[in-house]
mmCIF file of all heavy atoms in Angstrom:
data_model
loop_
_atom_site.group_PDB
_atom_site.id
_atom_site.type_symbol
_atom_site.label_atom_id
_atom_site.label_comp_id
_atom_site.label_asym_id
_atom_site.label_seq_id
_atom_site.Cartn_x
_atom_site.Cartn_y
_atom_site.Cartn_z
ATOM 1 N N ARG V 256 -8.564 -2.035 -1.800
ATOM 2 C CA ARG V 256 -8.642 -0.727 -1.144
ATOM 3 C C ARG V 256 -9.964 -0.031 -1.454
ATOM 4 O O ARG V 256 -10.650 0.466 -0.559
ATOM 5 C CB ARG V 256 -7.479 0.169 -1.574
ATOM 6 C CG ARG V 256 -7.563 1.568 -0.945
ATOM 7 C CD ARG V 256 -6.454 2.479 -1.407
ATOM 8 N NE ARG V 256 -6.374 2.665 -2.838
ATOM 9 C CZ ARG V 256 -7.175 3.470 -3.547
ATOM 10 N NH1 ARG V 256 -8.136 4.148 -2.953
ATOM 11 N NH2 ARG V 256 -7.006 3.598 -4.854
ATOM 12 N N VAL V 257 -10.354 -0.028 -2.724
ATOM 13 C CA VAL V 257 -11.600 0.633 -3.115
ATOM 14 C C VAL V 257 -12.792 -0.097 -2.495
ATOM 15 O O VAL V 257 -13.726 0.535 -1.992
ATOM 16 C CB VAL V 257 -11.721 0.727 -4.654
ATOM 17 C CG1 VAL V 257 -13.085 1.252 -5.064
ATOM 18 C CG2 VAL V 257 -10.609 1.609 -5.222
ATOM 19 N N ALA V 258 -12.758 -1.435 -2.499
ATOM 20 C CA ALA V 258 -13.846 -2.206 -1.906
ATOM 21 C C ALA V 258 -13.945 -1.964 -0.401
ATOM 22 O O ALA V 258 -15.033 -2.029 0.172
ATOM 23 C CB ALA V 258 -13.659 -3.694 -2.187
ATOM 24 N N ALA V 259 -12.821 -1.663 0.230
ATOM 25 C CA ALA V 259 -12.824 -1.348 1.660
ATOM 26 C C ALA V 259 -13.293 0.083 1.915
ATOM 27 O O ALA V 259 -13.538 0.468 3.061
ATOM 28 C CB ALA V 259 -11.428 -1.539 2.240
ATOM 29 N N GLY V 260 -13.415 0.878 0.859
ATOM 30 C CA GLY V 260 -13.862 2.259 0.996
ATOM 31 C C GLY V 260 -12.805 3.176 1.587
ATOM 32 O O GLY V 260 -13.125 4.136 2.278
ATOM 33 N N LEU V 261 -11.533 2.872 1.303
ATOM 34 C CA LEU V 261 -10.429 3.641 1.879
ATOM 35 C C LEU V 261 -9.631 4.372 0.807
ATOM 36 O O LEU V 261 -9.529 3.907 -0.325
ATOM 37 C CB LEU V 261 -9.491 2.702 2.642
ATOM 38 C CG LEU V 261 -10.098 1.945 3.817
ATOM 39 C CD1 LEU V 261 -9.112 0.901 4.324
ATOM 40 C CD2 LEU V 261 -10.492 2.902 4.922
ATOM 41 N N ARG V 262 -9.062 5.502 1.206
ATOM 42 C CA ARG V 262 -8.111 6.205 0.355
ATOM 43 C C ARG V 262 -6.731 5.591 0.580
ATOM 44 O O ARG V 262 -6.493 4.904 1.578
ATOM 45 C CB ARG V 262 -8.081 7.701 0.702
ATOM 46 C CG ARG V 262 -9.384 8.425 0.404
ATOM 47 C CD ARG V 262 -9.310 9.943 0.643
ATOM 48 N NE ARG V 262 -8.290 10.409 1.551
ATOM 49 C CZ ARG V 262 -8.441 10.592 2.872
ATOM 50 N NH1 ARG V 262 -9.592 10.314 3.436
ATOM 51 N NH2 ARG V 262 -7.450 11.034 3.616
ATOM 52 N N GLN V 263 -5.804 5.843 -0.325
ATOM 53 C CA GLN V 263 -4.448 5.300 -0.187
ATOM 54 C C GLN V 263 -3.827 5.714 1.143
ATOM 55 O O GLN V 263 -3.193 4.893 1.818
ATOM 56 C CB GLN V 263 -3.560 5.759 -1.348
ATOM 57 C CG GLN V 263 -3.898 5.105 -2.655
ATOM 58 C CD GLN V 263 -3.080 5.640 -3.814
ATOM 59 O OE1 GLN V 263 -2.523 6.736 -3.766
ATOM 60 N NE2 GLN V 263 -3.009 4.854 -4.881
ATOM 61 N N GLU V 264 -4.020 6.949 1.535
ATOM 62 C CA GLU V 264 -3.441 7.438 2.788
ATOM 63 C C GLU V 264 -4.006 6.696 3.997
ATOM 64 O O GLU V 264 -3.278 6.420 4.958
ATOM 65 C CB GLU V 264 -3.691 8.950 2.955
ATOM 66 C CG GLU V 264 -3.032 9.818 1.902
ATOM 67 C CD GLU V 264 -3.813 9.913 0.587
ATOM 68 O OE1 GLU V 264 -4.948 9.380 0.505
ATOM 69 O OE2 GLU V 264 -3.281 10.509 -0.357
ATOM 70 N N GLU V 265 -5.285 6.366 3.941
ATOM 71 C CA GLU V 265 -5.925 5.680 5.068
ATOM 72 C C GLU V 265 -5.416 4.251 5.236
ATOM 73 O O GLU V 265 -5.073 3.835 6.345
ATOM 74 C CB GLU V 265 -7.446 5.673 4.888
ATOM 75 C CG GLU V 265 -8.077 7.047 4.988
ATOM 76 C CD GLU V 265 -9.538 7.056 4.564
ATOM 77 O OE1 GLU V 265 -9.906 6.362 3.585
ATOM 78 O OE2 GLU V 265 -10.311 7.773 5.225
ATOM 79 N N ILE V 266 -5.353 3.491 4.144
ATOM 80 C CA ILE V 266 -4.881 2.109 4.274
ATOM 81 C C ILE V 266 -3.389 2.090 4.595
ATOM 82 O O ILE V 266 -2.921 1.230 5.331
ATOM 83 C CB ILE V 266 -5.220 1.242 3.031
ATOM 84 C CG1 ILE V 266 -4.965 -0.253 3.313
ATOM 85 C CG2 ILE V 266 -4.461 1.683 1.798
ATOM 86 C CD1 ILE V 266 -5.791 -0.850 4.406
ATOM 87 N N ALA V 267 -2.652 3.060 4.087
ATOM 88 C CA ALA V 267 -1.227 3.144 4.395
ATOM 89 C C ALA V 267 -1.022 3.328 5.895
ATOM 90 O O ALA V 267 -0.200 2.641 6.514
ATOM 91 C CB ALA V 267 -0.574 4.285 3.620
ATOM 92 N N ALA V 268 -1.766 4.241 6.489
ATOM 93 C CA ALA V 268 -1.641 4.484 7.929
ATOM 94 C C ALA V 268 -2.031 3.246 8.724
ATOM 95 O O ALA V 268 -1.354 2.880 9.693
ATOM 96 C CB ALA V 268 -2.516 5.677 8.336
ATOM 97 N N ARG V 269 -3.084 2.562 8.310
ATOM 98 C CA ARG V 269 -3.530 1.358 9.016
ATOM 99 C C ARG V 269 -2.515 0.236 8.916
ATOM 100 O O ARG V 269 -2.402 -0.589 9.811
ATOM 101 C CB ARG V 269 -4.882 0.907 8.474
ATOM 102 C CG ARG V 269 -5.988 1.904 8.809
ATOM 103 C CD ARG V 269 -7.310 1.469 8.299
ATOM 104 N NE ARG V 269 -7.729 0.300 9.068
ATOM 105 C CZ ARG V 269 -8.829 -0.373 8.838
ATOM 106 N NH1 ARG V 269 -9.637 0.000 7.881
ATOM 107 N NH2 ARG V 269 -9.147 -1.403 9.561
ATOM 108 N N ALA V 270 -1.783 0.189 7.790
ATOM 109 C CA ALA V 270 -0.786 -0.868 7.582
ATOM 110 C C ALA V 270 0.597 -0.465 8.069
ATOM 111 O O ALA V 270 1.522 -1.281 8.042
ATOM 112 C CB ALA V 270 -0.731 -1.238 6.096
ATOM 113 N N GLY V 271 0.755 0.791 8.473
ATOM 114 C CA GLY V 271 2.063 1.262 8.919
ATOM 115 C C GLY V 271 3.037 1.470 7.768
ATOM 116 O O GLY V 271 4.240 1.285 7.918
ATOM 117 N N LEU V 272 2.497 1.878 6.618
ATOM 118 C CA LEU V 272 3.300 2.129 5.419
ATOM 119 C C LEU V 272 3.125 3.579 4.985
ATOM 120 O O LEU V 272 2.165 4.239 5.385
ATOM 121 C CB LEU V 272 2.863 1.206 4.268
ATOM 122 C CG LEU V 272 3.001 -0.292 4.490
ATOM 123 C CD1 LEU V 272 2.259 -1.047 3.390
ATOM 124 C CD2 LEU V 272 4.456 -0.690 4.533
ATOM 125 N N GLY V 273 4.010 4.043 4.138
ATOM 126 C CA GLY V 273 3.844 5.354 3.542
ATOM 127 C C GLY V 273 2.816 5.288 2.424
ATOM 128 O O GLY V 273 2.688 4.260 1.753
ATOM 129 N N HIS V 274 2.066 6.369 2.221
ATOM 130 C CA HIS V 274 1.054 6.330 1.164
ATOM 131 C C HIS V 274 1.685 6.194 -0.221
ATOM 132 O O HIS V 274 1.070 5.651 -1.135
ATOM 133 C CB HIS V 274 0.097 7.526 1.246
ATOM 134 C CG HIS V 274 0.618 8.795 0.691
ATOM 135 N ND1 HIS V 274 1.396 9.660 1.415
ATOM 136 C CD2 HIS V 274 0.476 9.342 -0.535
ATOM 137 C CE1 HIS V 274 1.715 10.691 0.664
ATOM 138 N NE2 HIS V 274 1.182 10.528 -0.518
ATOM 139 N N THR V 275 2.924 6.657 -0.392
ATOM 140 C CA THR V 275 3.573 6.465 -1.697
ATOM 141 C C THR V 275 3.877 4.991 -1.934
ATOM 142 O O THR V 275 3.868 4.532 -3.076
ATOM 143 C CB THR V 275 4.862 7.305 -1.819
ATOM 144 O OG1 THR V 275 5.738 6.974 -0.747
ATOM 145 C CG2 THR V 275 4.560 8.786 -1.816
ATOM 146 N N THR V 276 4.114 4.250 -0.865
ATOM 147 C CA THR V 276 4.329 2.801 -1.014
ATOM 148 C C THR V 276 3.054 2.140 -1.516
ATOM 149 O O THR V 276 3.095 1.301 -2.415
ATOM 150 C CB THR V 276 4.774 2.179 0.328
ATOM 151 O OG1 THR V 276 5.998 2.793 0.735
ATOM 152 C CG2 THR V 276 4.962 0.681 0.202
ATOM 153 N N VAL V 277 1.918 2.525 -0.958
ATOM 154 C CA VAL V 277 0.638 1.969 -1.408
ATOM 155 C C VAL V 277 0.409 2.338 -2.872
ATOM 156 O O VAL V 277 0.024 1.486 -3.684
ATOM 157 C CB VAL V 277 -0.524 2.452 -0.522
ATOM 158 C CG1 VAL V 277 -1.871 2.037 -1.108
ATOM 159 C CG2 VAL V 277 -0.365 1.929 0.896
ATOM 160 N N ARG V 278 0.664 3.586 -3.217
ATOM 161 C CA ARG V 278 0.488 4.022 -4.614
ATOM 162 C C ARG V 278 1.365 3.190 -5.544
ATOM 163 O O ARG V 278 0.924 2.735 -6.601
ATOM 164 C CB ARG V 278 0.821 5.517 -4.758
ATOM 165 C CG ARG V 278 0.631 6.041 -6.177
ATOM 166 C CD ARG V 278 0.803 7.548 -6.304
ATOM 167 N NE ARG V 278 1.868 8.129 -5.521
ATOM 168 C CZ ARG V 278 3.154 8.181 -5.915
ATOM 169 N NH1 ARG V 278 3.514 7.664 -7.066
ATOM 170 N NH2 ARG V 278 4.064 8.749 -5.152
ATOM 171 N N ARG V 279 2.623 2.981 -5.145
ATOM 172 C CA ARG V 279 3.542 2.199 -5.978
ATOM 173 C C ARG V 279 3.090 0.743 -6.083
ATOM 174 O O ARG V 279 3.185 0.135 -7.161
ATOM 175 C CB ARG V 279 4.953 2.298 -5.412
ATOM 176 C CG ARG V 279 5.544 3.708 -5.598
ATOM 177 C CD ARG V 279 6.856 3.931 -4.874
ATOM 178 N NE ARG V 279 7.833 2.909 -5.180
ATOM 179 C CZ ARG V 279 8.759 2.489 -4.309
ATOM 180 N NH1 ARG V 279 8.828 2.999 -3.092
ATOM 181 N NH2 ARG V 279 9.625 1.567 -4.677
ATOM 182 N N LEU V 280 2.593 0.181 -4.988
ATOM 183 C CA LEU V 280 2.099 -1.201 -5.041
ATOM 184 C C LEU V 280 0.895 -1.313 -5.972
ATOM 185 O O LEU V 280 0.768 -2.286 -6.718
ATOM 186 C CB LEU V 280 1.751 -1.711 -3.638
ATOM 187 C CG LEU V 280 2.937 -2.058 -2.757
ATOM 188 C CD1 LEU V 280 2.507 -2.253 -1.308
ATOM 189 C CD2 LEU V 280 3.645 -3.307 -3.280
ATOM 190 N N GLU V 281 0.016 -0.333 -5.948
ATOM 191 C CA GLU V 281 -1.153 -0.348 -6.825
ATOM 192 C C GLU V 281 -0.763 -0.203 -8.292
ATOM 193 O O GLU V 281 -1.517 -0.567 -9.179
ATOM 194 C CB GLU V 281 -2.150 0.740 -6.426
ATOM 195 C CG GLU V 281 -2.887 0.425 -5.139
ATOM 196 C CD GLU V 281 -3.962 1.435 -4.805
ATOM 197 O OE1 GLU V 281 -4.233 2.347 -5.624
ATOM 198 O OE2 GLU V 281 -4.552 1.312 -3.717
ATOM 199 N N LYS V 282 0.409 0.304 -8.551
ATOM 200 C CA LYS V 282 0.914 0.425 -9.924
ATOM 201 C C LYS V 282 1.831 -0.742 -10.280
ATOM 202 O O LYS V 282 2.497 -0.727 -11.309
ATOM 203 C CB LYS V 282 1.643 1.756 -10.104
ATOM 204 C CG LYS V 282 0.731 2.956 -10.010
ATOM 205 C CD LYS V 282 1.497 4.236 -10.293
ATOM 206 C CE LYS V 282 0.612 5.446 -10.210
ATOM 207 N NZ LYS V 282 -0.357 5.536 -11.271
ATOM 208 N N SER V 283 1.886 -1.748 -9.413
ATOM 209 C CA SER V 283 2.719 -2.947 -9.605
ATOM 210 C C SER V 283 4.196 -2.592 -9.756
ATOM 211 O O SER V 283 4.912 -3.202 -10.557
ATOM 212 C CB SER V 283 2.241 -3.772 -10.804
ATOM 213 O OG SER V 283 0.967 -4.313 -10.534
ATOM 214 N N ASP V 284 4.659 -1.626 -8.999
ATOM 215 C CA ASP V 284 6.059 -1.216 -9.001
ATOM 216 C C ASP V 284 6.889 -2.337 -8.371
ATOM 217 O O ASP V 284 6.786 -2.604 -7.177
ATOM 218 C CB ASP V 284 6.217 0.083 -8.213
ATOM 219 C CG ASP V 284 7.637 0.632 -8.215
ATOM 220 O OD1 ASP V 284 8.587 -0.140 -8.458
ATOM 221 O OD2 ASP V 284 7.787 1.847 -7.967
ATOM 222 N N VAL V 285 7.709 -3.003 -9.182
ATOM 223 C CA VAL V 285 8.480 -4.156 -8.703
ATOM 224 C C VAL V 285 9.640 -3.771 -7.795
ATOM 225 O O VAL V 285 10.270 -4.644 -7.205
ATOM 226 C CB VAL V 285 9.002 -5.013 -9.885
ATOM 227 C CG1 VAL V 285 7.844 -5.628 -10.649
ATOM 228 C CG2 VAL V 285 9.901 -4.206 -10.798
ATOM 229 N N THR V 286 9.909 -2.468 -7.665
ATOM 230 C CA THR V 286 10.995 -2.065 -6.774
ATOM 231 C C THR V 286 10.556 -2.011 -5.311
ATOM 232 O O THR V 286 11.392 -1.864 -4.424
ATOM 233 C CB THR V 286 11.581 -0.690 -7.184
ATOM 234 O OG1 THR V 286 10.576 0.312 -7.034
ATOM 235 C CG2 THR V 286 12.097 -0.727 -8.619
ATOM 236 N N VAL V 287 9.251 -2.132 -5.053
ATOM 237 C CA VAL V 287 8.766 -2.180 -3.673
ATOM 238 C C VAL V 287 9.072 -3.573 -3.133
ATOM 239 O O VAL V 287 8.821 -4.578 -3.793
ATOM 240 C CB VAL V 287 7.255 -1.894 -3.587
ATOM 241 C CG1 VAL V 287 6.766 -2.002 -2.150
ATOM 242 C CG2 VAL V 287 6.927 -0.536 -4.171
ATOM 243 N N SER V 288 9.599 -3.623 -1.925
ATOM 244 C CA SER V 288 9.995 -4.917 -1.353
ATOM 245 C C SER V 288 8.782 -5.824 -1.140
ATOM 246 O O SER V 288 7.686 -5.354 -0.822
ATOM 247 C CB SER V 288 10.717 -4.708 -0.015
ATOM 248 O OG SER V 288 9.794 -4.364 0.997
ATOM 249 N N PRO V 289 8.994 -7.134 -1.309
ATOM 250 C CA PRO V 289 7.901 -8.080 -1.062
ATOM 251 C C PRO V 289 7.399 -8.014 0.380
ATOM 252 O O PRO V 289 6.234 -8.274 0.638
ATOM 253 C CB PRO V 289 8.510 -9.445 -1.361
ATOM 254 C CG PRO V 289 9.798 -9.201 -2.030
ATOM 255 C CD PRO V 289 10.199 -7.791 -1.790
ATOM 256 N N GLU V 290 8.273 -7.631 1.305
ATOM 257 C CA GLU V 290 7.861 -7.524 2.701
ATOM 258 C C GLU V 290 6.813 -6.421 2.891
ATOM 259 O O GLU V 290 5.861 -6.571 3.648
ATOM 260 C CB GLU V 290 9.075 -7.258 3.611
ATOM 261 C CG GLU V 290 10.052 -8.418 3.687
ATOM 262 C CD GLU V 290 11.012 -8.501 2.485
ATOM 263 O OE1 GLU V 290 11.072 -7.555 1.673
ATOM 264 O OE2 GLU V 290 11.699 -9.528 2.366
ATOM 265 N N ARG V 291 6.983 -5.324 2.175
ATOM 266 C CA ARG V 291 5.995 -4.237 2.264
ATOM 267 C C ARG V 291 4.687 -4.650 1.596
ATOM 268 O O ARG V 291 3.609 -4.323 2.084
ATOM 269 C CB ARG V 291 6.551 -2.960 1.649
ATOM 270 C CG ARG V 291 7.622 -2.375 2.540
ATOM 271 C CD ARG V 291 7.932 -0.966 2.194
ATOM 272 N NE ARG V 291 8.837 -0.444 3.214
ATOM 273 C CZ ARG V 291 9.759 0.425 2.980
ATOM 274 N NH1 ARG V 291 9.907 0.915 1.774
ATOM 275 N NH2 ARG V 291 10.535 0.849 3.958
ATOM 276 N N ALA V 292 4.790 -5.356 0.478
ATOM 277 C CA ALA V 292 3.580 -5.862 -0.174
ATOM 278 C C ALA V 292 2.846 -6.813 0.764
ATOM 279 O O ALA V 292 1.614 -6.752 0.892
ATOM 280 C CB ALA V 292 3.941 -6.567 -1.482
ATOM 281 N N TYR V 293 3.593 -7.667 1.438
ATOM 282 C CA TYR V 293 2.981 -8.610 2.379
ATOM 283 C C TYR V 293 2.309 -7.858 3.533
ATOM 284 O O TYR V 293 1.212 -8.224 3.968
ATOM 285 C CB TYR V 293 4.019 -9.591 2.931
ATOM 286 C CG TYR V 293 3.445 -10.506 3.979
ATOM 287 C CD1 TYR V 293 2.630 -11.573 3.615
ATOM 288 C CD2 TYR V 293 3.673 -10.279 5.335
ATOM 289 C CE1 TYR V 293 2.069 -12.399 4.570
ATOM 290 C CE2 TYR V 293 3.121 -11.104 6.296
ATOM 291 C CZ TYR V 293 2.318 -12.157 5.913
ATOM 292 O OH TYR V 293 1.753 -12.976 6.864
ATOM 293 N N THR V 294 2.949 -6.798 4.028
ATOM 294 C CA THR V 294 2.379 -6.001 5.118
ATOM 295 C C THR V 294 1.016 -5.444 4.712
ATOM 296 O O THR V 294 0.059 -5.500 5.485
ATOM 297 C CB THR V 294 3.334 -4.853 5.504
ATOM 298 O OG1 THR V 294 4.559 -5.423 5.970
ATOM 299 C CG2 THR V 294 2.736 -3.953 6.570
ATOM 300 N N LEU V 295 0.926 -4.927 3.486
ATOM 301 C CA LEU V 295 -0.349 -4.387 3.007
ATOM 302 C C LEU V 295 -1.374 -5.506 2.825
ATOM 303 O O LEU V 295 -2.526 -5.382 3.241
ATOM 304 C CB LEU V 295 -0.151 -3.615 1.698
ATOM 305 C CG LEU V 295 -1.395 -2.931 1.142
ATOM 306 C CD1 LEU V 295 -1.988 -1.938 2.139
ATOM 307 C CD2 LEU V 295 -1.059 -2.234 -0.172
ATOM 308 N N GLN V 296 -0.959 -6.609 2.212
ATOM 309 C CA GLN V 296 -1.878 -7.725 2.019
ATOM 310 C C GLN V 296 -2.392 -8.229 3.365
ATOM 311 O O GLN V 296 -3.586 -8.492 3.522
ATOM 312 C CB GLN V 296 -1.191 -8.869 1.268
ATOM 313 C CG GLN V 296 -2.116 -10.057 1.058
ATOM 314 C CD GLN V 296 -1.469 -11.170 0.259
ATOM 315 O OE1 GLN V 296 -0.521 -10.944 -0.494
ATOM 316 N NE2 GLN V 296 -1.978 -12.379 0.419
ATOM 317 N N LYS V 297 -1.524 -8.355 4.345
ATOM 318 C CA LYS V 297 -1.915 -8.831 5.678
ATOM 319 C C LYS V 297 -2.933 -7.889 6.311
ATOM 320 O O LYS V 297 -3.892 -8.331 6.954
ATOM 321 C CB LYS V 297 -0.663 -8.952 6.568
ATOM 322 C CG LYS V 297 -0.944 -9.442 7.952
ATOM 323 C CD LYS V 297 -1.178 -10.931 7.964
ATOM 324 C CE LYS V 297 -1.220 -11.471 9.382
ATOM 325 N NZ LYS V 297 -2.554 -11.734 9.866
#
């Protein structure tokens, strides 16, 4: 995300996710579904 020059809110919108989901993924929150992690990675 930082290398892309984006804020959490920006990449979340581009991936169709909530910005709190991105924040939780960046903190390695294991309660976030693998499908959402895959959506962000994709």
Side-chain angles (χ1 to χ4, degrees):
R256 178 182 57 78
V257 173
L261 299 171
R262 295 185 337 269
Q263 288 176 339
E264 297 82 5
E265 293 170 321
I266 191 62
R269 293 181 69 183
L272 299 168
H274 79 275
T275 56
T276 300
V277 172
R278 181 173 40 84
R279 290 171 52 212
L280 285 167
E281 287 185 6
K282 293 184 180 291
S283 293
D284 183 338
V285 295
T286 64
V287 178
S288 75
E290 293 80 11
R291 288 196 173 147
Y293 176 76
T294 298
L295 184 58
Q296 179 177 337
K297 181 77 170 102

